[in-house]
Amino acid sequence: GMEGVGELVWLERPKPPRISEETGLGLELDGTKFDEFSPKNTPWKCRKLCDGPDVMFCLMNLSGTDRSIEVVSSQFFAKRVVLHSILRGDAAKGALPTVAFERLLDDTCGPAYSAVLGDLRSLTSPSTPPSYASIIDSGSTASLSSSFAQEACTHLLVTSHECTYEDEVDSSADANLHDPNPDGGQLFSYEIPEDWKNSKWTRNTIAGGFKCRSNLSINPGAPGFPYLFYPDLNDRDLGLPPHIALSGDGSESAYIFRPDVGGSYSLMCEIDCGATVGSLAVSYTRFCGGGKEGYAKLFIAAYERDKVFVFSFDPLEV
């Protein structure tokens, strides 16, 4: 598309010209096995749905039983968060996917950089998720259940990826790194309402004031992507809300936020890596023969240092 304008597109998966009557598998015309990734079947046909999405997006089902999926996109260049409801195509009728509904959720969020879905309800929270709200693809995190289709979502997490350096802002005691209202990057949560087409998606600030320390030649920003996880997977089975791990990107740190009573979050710890932390990963398996299954291990990449730091939530044995 035009410079600075993203596009939401879909790729049309090619279909086999023949189906084997014996095996039901797709075949080429010459009888060989059909491969949609072979040179003769690529590239897939690209079809544009709309302008706008440019960095990250997530997929969910807010419509219940109808034939649509909902896409929420973080639009970095346009500095906004937008929802599109996509009506699925129907090959039998020759109908292609189309945008059936569009809604601007926020245009005061700054350069939006992530779009991650999750269930942030606490045991004391009175809110309940929308009746049919379920995750199809959460964004930048892996499913915590056996099927995304079974996983409810109550909130959308978005970061404002600001290129603000520490020496460019107020250095007084009031300009605290995790103050919700100073200059700098932010981590927001949006509560998904039951009437998602018309009601307000209430925005709350989980943390703010993230500033850059990175000296990379590219234009840096902070923070990066959030990741939902449980220190102990049993916490999920008990109905407890997840923790949030956040890559600081240009702030050269990673952050862990823990849930508080009432649905809010507070900083548990900051991990100063001394290098750009663009992303991180979470695992619940044993690591290098140590640790226990079911406890979170965080893998934090420090770009300029060529290192990956590993932190475990395994309980100490004394």
Side-chain angles (χ1 to χ4, degrees):
M2 296 181 296
E3 183 178 355
V5 178
E7 294 179 342
L8 181 63
V9 303
W10 66 281
L11 302 177
E12 184 175 345
R13 185 175 183 176
K15 295 182 179 180
R18 294 175 51 197
I19 300 295
S20 170
E21 295 181 358
E22 296 180 355
T23 65
L25 297 177
L27 300 175
E28 298 285 1
L29 291 175
D30 61 5
T32 59
K33 182 181 178 181
F34 177 76
D35 181 5
E36 62 263 43
F37 299 107
S38 68
K40 67 179 296 184
N41 293 317
T42 54
W44 291 8
K45 186 179 294 183
C46 180
R47 299 184 185 272
K48 175 182 171 180
L49 287 167
C50 62
D51 289 322
D54 52 27
V55 178
M56 295 295 293
F57 63 88
C58 56
L59 305 177
M60 60 182 138
N61 182 359
L62 293 176
S63 308
T65 58
D66 68 15
R67 297 182 57 256
S68 66
I69 62 173
E70 281 62 56
V71 180
V72 176
S73 59
S74 302
Q75 300 184 12
F76 179 82
F77 294 104
K79 298 183 178 182
R80 59 184 192 167
V81 180
V82 181
L83 179 146
H84 293 91
S85 186
I86 311 299
L87 186 65
R88 299 174 185 267
D90 189 334
K93 298 180 180 179
L96 299 178
T98 58
V99 176
F101 175 79
E102 178 179 348
R103 183 183 177 189
L104 174 65
L105 299 181
D106 192 358
D107 60 359
T108 64
C109 56
Y113 194 61
S114 65
V116 174
L117 297 169
D119 187 347
L120 302 189
R121 284 175 297 172
S122 67
L123 293 177
T124 60
S125 173
S127 64
T128 57
S131 303
Y132 299 110
S134 59
I135 297 173
I136 299 175
D137 188 316
S138 72
S140 64
T141 58
S143 174
L144 297 177
S145 63
S146 59
S147 171
F148 266 137
Q150 305 296 323
E151 194 168 339
C153 54
T154 64
H155 290 77
L156 167 73
L157 296 181
V158 172
T159 52
S160 177
H161 192 65
E162 302 281 356
C163 183
T164 304
Y165 283 89
E166 291 181 338
D167 57 0
E168 295 177 349
V169 296
D170 183 7
S171 59
S172 67
D174 292 335
N176 186 276
L177 178 62
H178 303 291
D179 188 315
N181 295 308
D183 294 334
Q186 312 279 322
L187 171 60
F188 301 124
S189 69
Y190 297 81
E191 187 171 352
I192 303 173
E194 183 79 29
D195 184 5
W196 55 275
K197 285 187 176 182
N198 301 297
S199 296
K200 181 180 179 180
W201 290 47
T202 302
R203 187 181 85 183
N204 293 294
T205 303
I206 294 177
F210 296 93
K211 290 118 186 164
C212 290
R213 291 189 291 167
S214 173
N215 292 315
L216 287 178
S217 58
I218 60 174
N219 193 25
F225 301 121
Y227 302 79
L228 301 179
F229 76 99
Y230 294 93
D232 181 350
L233 277 180
N234 289 324
D235 294 343
R236 174 196 62 190
D237 300 329
L238 293 173
L240 299 176
H243 284 48
I244 301 173
L246 178 66
S247 63
D249 211 343
S251 75
E252 299 190 345
S253 291
Y255 310 87
I256 299 174
F257 297 90
R258 60 186 167 198
D260 295 328
V261 175
S264 61
Y265 277 79
S266 61
L267 181 68
M268 178 179 178
C269 69
E270 175 182 344
I271 303 169
D272 187 346
C273 297
T276 304
V277 182
S279 63
L280 52 86
V282 181
S283 171
Y284 295 96
T285 61
R286 300 183 67 191
F287 178 70
C288 294
K292 296 182 178 180
E293 295 277 346
Y295 290 97
K297 286 81 177 173
L298 300 184
F299 298 80
I300 302 173
Y303 180 76
E304 295 90 337
R305 297 179 65 181
D306 294 331
K307 295 181 182 296
V308 176
F309 299 108
V310 184
F311 297 85
S312 175
F313 279 83
D314 285 34
L316 292 175
E317 295 184 3
V318 295

